[in-house]
Amino acid sequence: MTPLAHILALPVRAYRLVLSPWVGHGCRFHPTCSAYALEALERHGALRGGWFAARRILRCNPWGGSGVDEVPK
């Protein structure tokens, strides 16, 4: 993972550690948005992985989809 990707991953890891236990386990996607974001950052770096993560989070809304959504290769 690039240094910038590590920096972008910090808020995701903080969310998983602090807020995720309080929010609950109601994610409609598999893998969860936070796992998706970490995998995208690791696989594609800060810019492209950050773009994939942002798109995924924007799709996570009441009118969005659900199901299996893997990080693109």
Side-chain angles (χ1 to χ4, degrees), residues 36-73:
Y36 183 96
L38 291 175
E39 185 178 346
L41 289 169
E42 182 177 322
R43 188 178 289 179
H44 296 288
L47 295 178
R48 192 163 187 215
W51 171 249
F52 285 139
R55 278 187 27 213
R56 168 67 178 272
I57 291 169
L58 289 174
R59 283 194 314 260
C60 192
N61 61 62
W63 303 280
S66 63
V68 177
D69 184 22
E70 297 293 329
V71 176
K73 300 270 184 228

Side-chain angles (χ1 to χ4, degrees), residues 12-59:
V12 176
R13 288 193 175 108
Y15 164 79
R16 292 182 88 176
L17 183 67
V18 177
L19 294 177
S20 182
W22 296 97
V23 173
H25 303 285
C27 191
R28 297 177 305 145
F29 287 106
H30 180 76
T32 63
C33 291
S34 58
Y36 183 96
L38 291 175
E39 185 178 346
L41 289 169
E42 182 177 322
R43 188 178 289 179
H44 296 288
L47 295 178
R48 192 163 187 215
W51 171 249
F52 285 139
R55 278 187 27 213
R56 168 67 178 272
I57 291 169
L58 289 174
R59 283 194 314 260

